[in-house]
PDB file of all heavy atoms in Angstrom:
ATOM      1  N   ILE A   1     -65.295  43.661-288.516  1.00  0.00           N
ATOM      2  CA  ILE A   1     -64.015  43.208-289.042  1.00  0.00           C
ATOM      3  C   ILE A   1     -63.636  44.007-290.281  1.00  0.00           C
ATOM      4  O   ILE A   1     -64.489  44.565-290.967  1.00  0.00           O
ATOM      5  CB  ILE A   1     -64.036  41.698-289.405  1.00  0.00           C
ATOM      6  CG1 ILE A   1     -65.097  41.415-290.468  1.00  0.00           C
ATOM      7  CG2 ILE A   1     -64.238  40.836-288.170  1.00  0.00           C
ATOM      8  CD1 ILE A   1     -65.097  39.964-290.965  1.00  0.00           C
ATOM      9  N   SER A   2     -62.354  44.060-290.531  1.00  0.00           N
ATOM     10  CA  SER A   2     -61.849  44.633-291.772  1.00  0.00           C
ATOM     11  C   SER A   2     -60.622  43.841-292.174  1.00  0.00           C
ATOM     12  O   SER A   2     -59.948  43.235-291.326  1.00  0.00           O
ATOM     13  CB  SER A   2     -61.493  46.115-291.600  1.00  0.00           C
ATOM     14  OG  SER A   2     -60.450  46.276-290.665  1.00  0.00           O
ATOM     15  N   THR A   3     -60.328  43.800-293.449  1.00  0.00           N
ATOM     16  CA  THR A   3     -59.186  43.031-293.927  1.00  0.00           C
ATOM     17  C   THR A   3     -58.375  43.834-294.931  1.00  0.00           C
ATOM     18  O   THR A   3     -58.877  44.727-295.603  1.00  0.00           O
ATOM     19  CB  THR A   3     -59.619  41.718-294.616  1.00  0.00           C
ATOM     20  OG1 THR A   3     -60.381  42.036-295.785  1.00  0.00           O
ATOM     21  CG2 THR A   3     -60.425  40.830-293.693  1.00  0.00           C
ATOM     22  N   SER A   4     -57.126  43.469-295.025  1.00  0.00           N
ATOM     23  CA  SER A   4     -56.256  43.948-296.093  1.00  0.00           C
ATOM     24  C   SER A   4     -55.343  42.789-296.456  1.00  0.00           C
ATOM     25  O   SER A   4     -55.153  41.857-295.666  1.00  0.00           O
ATOM     26  CB  SER A   4     -55.452  45.166-295.646  1.00  0.00           C
ATOM     27  OG  SER A   4     -54.662  44.846-294.514  1.00  0.00           O
ATOM     28  N   LYS A   5     -54.790  42.824-297.649  1.00  0.00           N
ATOM     29  CA  LYS A   5     -53.956  41.718-298.122  1.00  0.00           C
ATOM     30  C   LYS A   5     -52.474  42.026-297.919  1.00  0.00           C
ATOM     31  O   LYS A   5     -52.038  43.160-298.029  1.00  0.00           O
ATOM     32  CB  LYS A   5     -54.239  41.425-299.590  1.00  0.00           C
ATOM     33  CG  LYS A   5     -55.586  40.760-299.828  1.00  0.00           C
ATOM     34  CD  LYS A   5     -55.739  40.322-301.270  1.00  0.00           C
ATOM     35  CE  LYS A   5     -57.059  39.588-301.468  1.00  0.00           C
ATOM     36  NZ  LYS A   5     -57.228  39.138-302.866  1.00  0.00           N
ATOM     37  N   THR A   6     -51.730  40.982-297.616  1.00  0.00           N
ATOM     38  CA  THR A   6     -50.282  41.109-297.496  1.00  0.00           C
ATOM     39  C   THR A   6     -49.662  40.943-298.871  1.00  0.00           C
ATOM     40  O   THR A   6     -50.340  40.649-299.856  1.00  0.00           O
ATOM     41  CB  THR A   6     -49.722  40.043-296.543  1.00  0.00           C
ATOM     42  OG1 THR A   6     -49.965  38.744-297.110  1.00  0.00           O
ATOM     43  CG2 THR A   6     -50.399  40.126-295.187  1.00  0.00           C
ATOM     44  N   GLY A   7     -48.357  41.092-298.928  1.00  0.00           N
ATOM     45  CA  GLY A   7     -47.667  40.963-300.212  1.00  0.00           C
ATOM     46  C   GLY A   7     -47.755  39.583-300.820  1.00  0.00           C
ATOM     47  O   GLY A   7     -47.733  39.426-302.036  1.00  0.00           O
ATOM     48  N   ASN A   8     -47.899  38.551-299.962  1.00  0.00           N
ATOM     49  CA  ASN A   8     -47.982  37.183-300.479  1.00  0.00           C
ATOM     50  C   ASN A   8     -49.422  36.726-300.704  1.00  0.00           C
ATOM     51  O   ASN A   8     -49.683  35.553-300.938  1.00  0.00           O
ATOM     52  CB  ASN A   8     -47.264  36.216-299.532  1.00  0.00           C
ATOM     53  CG  ASN A   8     -47.835  36.248-298.131  1.00  0.00           C
ATOM     54  OD1 ASN A   8     -48.853  36.901-297.870  1.00  0.00           O
ATOM     55  ND2 ASN A   8     -47.189  35.555-297.213  1.00  0.00           N
ATOM     56  N   GLY A   9     -50.388  37.662-300.594  1.00  0.00           N
ATOM     57  CA  GLY A   9     -51.775  37.324-300.888  1.00  0.00           C
ATOM     58  C   GLY A   9     -52.590  36.868-299.704  1.00  0.00           C
ATOM     59  O   GLY A   9     -53.798  36.648-299.832  1.00  0.00           O
ATOM     60  N   ASN A  10     -51.969  36.710-298.532  1.00  0.00           N
ATOM     61  CA  ASN A  10     -52.720  36.340-297.343  1.00  0.00           C
ATOM     62  C   ASN A  10     -53.479  37.545-296.796  1.00  0.00           C
ATOM     63  O   ASN A  10     -53.260  38.677-297.229  1.00  0.00           O
ATOM     64  CB  ASN A  10     -51.782  35.776-296.277  1.00  0.00           C
ATOM     65  CG  ASN A  10     -51.195  34.437-296.692  1.00  0.00           C
ATOM     66  OD1 ASN A  10     -51.765  33.729-297.518  1.00  0.00           O
ATOM     67  ND2 ASN A  10     -50.048  34.094-296.130  1.00  0.00           N
ATOM     68  N   LEU A  11     -54.353  37.292-295.814  1.00  0.00           N
ATOM     69  CA  LEU A  11     -55.185  38.355-295.263  1.00  0.00           C
ATOM     70  C   LEU A  11     -54.717  38.769-293.872  1.00  0.00           C
ATOM     71  O   LEU A  11     -54.305  37.932-293.066  1.00  0.00           O
ATOM     72  CB  LEU A  11     -56.643  37.899-295.164  1.00  0.00           C
ATOM     73  CG  LEU A  11     -57.426  37.714-296.452  1.00  0.00           C
ATOM     74  CD1 LEU A  11     -58.819  37.186-296.130  1.00  0.00           C
ATOM     75  CD2 LEU A  11     -57.528  39.009-297.233  1.00  0.00           C
ATOM     76  N   ILE A  12     -54.792  40.056-293.612  1.00  0.00           N
ATOM     77  CA  ILE A  12     -54.668  40.584-292.259  1.00  0.00           C
ATOM     78  C   ILE A  12     -56.069  41.000-291.839  1.00  0.00           C
ATOM     79  O   ILE A  12     -56.672  41.880-292.460  1.00  0.00           O
ATOM     80  CB  ILE A  12     -53.716  41.786-292.207  1.00  0.00           C
ATOM     81  CG1 ILE A  12     -52.301  41.368-292.610  1.00  0.00           C
ATOM     82  CG2 ILE A  12     -53.707  42.383-290.797  1.00  0.00           C
ATOM     83  CD1 ILE A  12     -51.334  42.524-292.696  1.00  0.00           C
ATOM     84  N   LEU A  13     -56.600  40.361-290.815  1.00  0.00           N
ATOM     85  CA  LEU A  13     -57.964  40.623-290.366  1.00  0.00           C
ATOM     86  C   LEU A  13     -57.921  41.381-289.046  1.00  0.00           C
ATOM     87  O   LEU A  13     -57.321  40.932-288.074  1.00  0.00           O
ATOM     88  CB  LEU A  13     -58.737  39.318-290.217  1.00  0.00           C
ATOM     89  CG  LEU A  13     -60.226  39.450-289.858  1.00  0.00           C
ATOM     90  CD1 LEU A  13     -61.036  38.352-290.530  1.00  0.00           C
ATOM     91  CD2 LEU A  13     -60.444  39.392-288.342  1.00  0.00           C
ATOM     92  N   ASN A  14     -58.572  42.534-289.032  1.00  0.00           N
ATOM     93  CA  ASN A  14     -58.731  43.322-287.812  1.00  0.00           C
ATOM     94  C   ASN A  14     -60.146  43.110-287.275  1.00  0.00           C
ATOM     95  O   ASN A  14     -61.109  43.171-288.048  1.00  0.00           O
ATOM     96  CB  ASN A  14     -58.514  44.805-288.101  1.00  0.00           C
ATOM     97  CG  ASN A  14     -57.148  45.076-288.713  1.00  0.00           C
ATOM     98  OD1 ASN A  14     -56.125  44.830-288.091  1.00  0.00           O
ATOM     99  ND2 ASN A  14     -57.139  45.562-289.940  1.00  0.00           N
ATOM    100  N   TYR A  15     -60.268  42.870-285.979  1.00  0.00           N
ATOM    101  CA  TYR A  15     -61.589  42.636-285.405  1.00  0.00           C
ATOM    102  C   TYR A  15     -61.827  43.562-284.212  1.00  0.00           C
ATOM    103  O   TYR A  15     -60.902  44.011-283.541  1.00  0.00           O
ATOM    104  CB  TYR A  15     -61.733  41.179-284.959  1.00  0.00           C
ATOM    105  CG  TYR A  15     -60.889  40.810-283.761  1.00  0.00           C
ATOM    106  CD1 TYR A  15     -61.382  40.964-282.463  1.00  0.00           C
ATOM    107  CD2 TYR A  15     -59.591  40.314-283.913  1.00  0.00           C
ATOM    108  CE1 TYR A  15     -60.614  40.646-281.362  1.00  0.00           C
ATOM    109  CE2 TYR A  15     -58.803  39.999-282.819  1.00  0.00           C
ATOM    110  CZ  TYR A  15     -59.323  40.163-281.541  1.00  0.00           C
ATOM    111  OH  TYR A  15     -58.544  39.861-280.451  1.00  0.00           O
ATOM    112  N   HIS A  16     -63.097  43.836-283.961  1.00  0.00           N
ATOM    113  CA  HIS A  16     -63.513  44.589-282.770  1.00  0.00           C
ATOM    114  C   HIS A  16     -64.897  44.109-282.362  1.00  0.00           C
ATOM    115  O   HIS A  16     -65.770  43.902-283.207  1.00  0.00           O
ATOM    116  CB  HIS A  16     -63.567  46.096-283.040  1.00  0.00           C
ATOM    117  CG  HIS A  16     -64.136  46.871-281.891  1.00  0.00           C
ATOM    118  ND1 HIS A  16     -63.415  47.126-280.741  1.00  0.00           N
ATOM    119  CD2 HIS A  16     -65.368  47.410-281.692  1.00  0.00           C
ATOM    120  CE1 HIS A  16     -64.174  47.804-279.887  1.00  0.00           C
ATOM    121  NE2 HIS A  16     -65.367  47.991-280.440  1.00  0.00           N
ATOM    122  N   THR A  17     -65.090  43.928-281.067  1.00  0.00           N
ATOM    123  CA  THR A  17     -66.396  43.538-280.547  1.00  0.00           C
ATOM    124  C   THR A  17     -66.699  44.323-279.287  1.00  0.00           C
ATOM    125  O   THR A  17     -65.782  44.759-278.576  1.00  0.00           O
ATOM    126  CB  THR A  17     -66.464  42.023-280.251  1.00  0.00           C
ATOM    127  OG1 THR A  17     -67.764  41.704-279.752  1.00  0.00           O
ATOM    128  CG2 THR A  17     -65.425  41.612-279.223  1.00  0.00           C
ATOM    129  N   ASP A  18     -67.973  44.512-279.007  1.00  0.00           N
ATOM    130  CA  ASP A  18     -68.383  45.231-277.809  1.00  0.00           C
ATOM    131  C   ASP A  18     -68.809  44.291-276.689  1.00  0.00           C
ATOM    132  O   ASP A  18     -69.300  44.732-275.652  1.00  0.00           O
ATOM    133  CB  ASP A  18     -69.514  46.206-278.134  1.00  0.00           C
ATOM    134  CG  ASP A  18     -70.762  45.508-278.678  1.00  0.00           C
ATOM    135  OD1 ASP A  18     -70.716  44.280-278.890  1.00  0.00           O
ATOM    136  OD2 ASP A  18     -71.780  46.188-278.902  1.00  0.00           O
ATOM    137  N   GLN A  19     -68.625  42.983-276.859  1.00  0.00           N
ATOM    138  CA  GLN A  19     -69.004  42.034-275.822  1.00  0.00           C
ATOM    139  C   GLN A  19     -67.754  41.514-275.107  1.00  0.00           C
ATOM    140  O   GLN A  19     -66.657  41.512-275.672  1.00  0.00           O
ATOM    141  CB  GLN A  19     -69.781  40.859-276.424  1.00  0.00           C
ATOM    142  CG  GLN A  19     -68.912  39.865-277.198  1.00  0.00           C
ATOM    143  CD  GLN A  19     -69.592  38.522-277.392  1.00  0.00           C
ATOM    144  OE1 GLN A  19     -70.570  38.422-278.101  1.00  0.00           O
ATOM    145  NE2 GLN A  19     -69.051  37.489-276.759  1.00  0.00           N
ATOM    146  N   PRO A  20     -67.887  41.068-273.857  1.00  0.00           N
ATOM    147  CA  PRO A  20     -66.745  40.463-273.158  1.00  0.00           C
ATOM    148  C   PRO A  20     -66.281  39.210-273.904  1.00  0.00           C
ATOM    149  O   PRO A  20     -67.107  38.458-274.429  1.00  0.00           O
ATOM    150  CB  PRO A  20     -67.316  40.116-271.781  1.00  0.00           C
ATOM    151  CG  PRO A  20     -68.509  40.998-271.616  1.00  0.00           C
ATOM    152  CD  PRO A  20     -69.083  41.171-272.992  1.00  0.00           C
ATOM    153  N   THR A  21     -64.992  38.979-273.942  1.00  0.00           N
ATOM    154  CA  THR A  21     -64.471  37.838-274.713  1.00  0.00           C
ATOM    155  C   THR A  21     -63.688  36.837-273.867  1.00  0.00           C
ATOM    156  O   THR A  21     -63.012  35.976-274.420  1.00  0.00           O
ATOM    157  CB  THR A  21     -63.578  38.335-275.865  1.00  0.00           C
ATOM    158  OG1 THR A  21     -62.434  39.017-275.318  1.00  0.00           O
ATOM    159  CG2 THR A  21     -64.336  39.256-276.796  1.00  0.00           C
ATOM    160  N   ASP A  22     -63.765  36.951-272.558  1.00  0.00           N
ATOM    161  CA  ASP A  22     -63.152  35.919-271.717  1.00  0.00           C
ATOM    162  C   ASP A  22     -63.861  34.596-271.996  1.00  0.00           C
ATOM    163  O   ASP A  22     -65.082  34.503-271.908  1.00  0.00           O
ATOM    164  CB  ASP A  22     -63.289  36.274-270.237  1.00  0.00           C
ATOM    165  CG  ASP A  22     -62.323  37.367-269.820  1.00  0.00           C
ATOM    166  OD1 ASP A  22     -61.185  37.351-270.299  1.00  0.00           O
ATOM    167  OD2 ASP A  22     -62.727  38.244-269.036  1.00  0.00           O
ATOM    168  N   GLY A  23     -63.096  33.550-272.335  1.00  0.00           N
ATOM    169  CA  GLY A  23     -63.701  32.259-272.638  1.00  0.00           C
ATOM    170  C   GLY A  23     -64.263  32.148-274.035  1.00  0.00           C
ATOM    171  O   GLY A  23     -65.021  31.222-274.322  1.00  0.00           O
ATOM    172  N   TYR A  24     -63.887  33.075-274.918  1.00  0.00           N
ATOM    173  CA  TYR A  24     -64.380  33.062-276.288  1.00  0.00           C
ATOM    174  C   TYR A  24     -63.244  32.939-277.293  1.00  0.00           C
ATOM    175  O   TYR A  24     -62.097  33.298-277.013  1.00  0.00           O
ATOM    176  CB  TYR A  24     -65.167  34.339-276.602  1.00  0.00           C
ATOM    177  CG  TYR A  24     -66.598  34.301-276.137  1.00  0.00           C
ATOM    178  CD1 TYR A  24     -66.920  34.573-274.817  1.00  0.00           C
ATOM    179  CD2 TYR A  24     -67.628  33.978-277.016  1.00  0.00           C
ATOM    180  CE1 TYR A  24     -68.228  34.532-274.374  1.00  0.00           C
ATOM    181  CE2 TYR A  24     -68.943  33.936-276.579  1.00  0.00           C
ATOM    182  CZ  TYR A  24     -69.231  34.212-275.263  1.00  0.00           C
ATOM    183  OH  TYR A  24     -70.532  34.157-274.833  1.00  0.00           O
ATOM    184  N   SER A  25     -63.593  32.439-278.467  1.00  0.00           N
ATOM    185  CA  SER A  25     -62.663  32.390-279.598  1.00  0.00           C
ATOM    186  C   SER A  25     -63.276  33.104-280.782  1.00  0.00           C
ATOM    187  O   SER A  25     -64.504  33.186-280.907  1.00  0.00           O
ATOM    188  CB  SER A  25     -62.339  30.939-279.987  1.00  0.00           C
ATOM    189  OG  SER A  25     -61.562  30.303-278.993  1.00  0.00           O
ATOM    190  N   LEU A  26     -62.413  33.616-281.644  1.00  0.00           N
ATOM    191  CA  LEU A  26     -62.840  34.160-282.927  1.00  0.00           C
ATOM    192  C   LEU A  26     -62.579  33.093-283.982  1.00  0.00           C
ATOM    193  O   LEU A  26     -61.443  32.651-284.165  1.00  0.00           O
ATOM    194  CB  LEU A  26     -62.050  35.426-283.261  1.00  0.00           C
ATOM    195  CG  LEU A  26     -62.297  36.019-284.646  1.00  0.00           C
ATOM    196  CD1 LEU A  26     -63.703  36.599-284.747  1.00  0.00           C
ATOM    197  CD2 LEU A  26     -61.253  37.085-284.989  1.00  0.00           C
ATOM    198  N   ALA A  27     -63.632  32.652-284.644  1.00  0.00           N
ATOM    199  CA  ALA A  27     -63.506  31.665-285.728  1.00  0.00           C
ATOM    200  C   ALA A  27     -63.601  32.389-287.060  1.00  0.00           C
ATOM    201  O   ALA A  27     -64.479  33.245-287.243  1.00  0.00           O
ATOM    202  CB  ALA A  27     -64.594  30.606-285.617  1.00  0.00           C
ATOM    203  N   VAL A  28     -62.706  32.061-287.964  1.00  0.00           N
ATOM    204  CA  VAL A  28     -62.668  32.684-289.286  1.00  0.00           C
ATOM    205  C   VAL A  28     -62.697  31.587-290.341  1.00  0.00           C
ATOM    206  O   VAL A  28     -61.765  30.780-290.430  1.00  0.00           O
ATOM    207  CB  VAL A  28     -61.401  33.554-289.465  1.00  0.00           C
ATOM    208  CG1 VAL A  28     -61.401  34.218-290.830  1.00  0.00           C
ATOM    209  CG2 VAL A  28     -61.304  34.595-288.366  1.00  0.00           C
ATOM    210  N   ALA A  29     -63.780  31.528-291.111  1.00  0.00           N
ATOM    211  CA  ALA A  29     -63.942  30.500-292.138  1.00  0.00           C
ATOM    212  C   ALA A  29     -63.842  31.137-293.515  1.00  0.00           C
ATOM    213  O   ALA A  29     -64.475  32.155-293.784  1.00  0.00           O
ATOM    214  CB  ALA A  29     -65.283  29.790-291.980  1.00  0.00           C
ATOM    215  N   LEU A  30     -63.049  30.537-294.391  1.00  0.00           N
ATOM    216  CA  LEU A  30     -62.972  30.952-295.780  1.00  0.00           C
ATOM    217  C   LEU A  30     -63.847  30.027-296.609  1.00  0.00           C
ATOM    218  O   LEU A  30     -63.841  28.806-296.420  1.00  0.00           O
ATOM    219  CB  LEU A  30     -61.530  30.910-296.282  1.00  0.00           C
ATOM    220  CG  LEU A  30     -60.554  31.859-295.565  1.00  0.00           C
ATOM    221  CD1 LEU A  30     -59.168  31.763-296.192  1.00  0.00           C
ATOM    222  CD2 LEU A  30     -61.057  33.290-295.585  1.00  0.00           C
TER     223      LEU A  30
END
């Protein structure tokens, strides 16, 4: 994952995985 901040301080999160993701979710906890 990588992140950058928007103008209002929120995050833009980019993700990449090498596993199949059918039936999966990405959970993001702060």
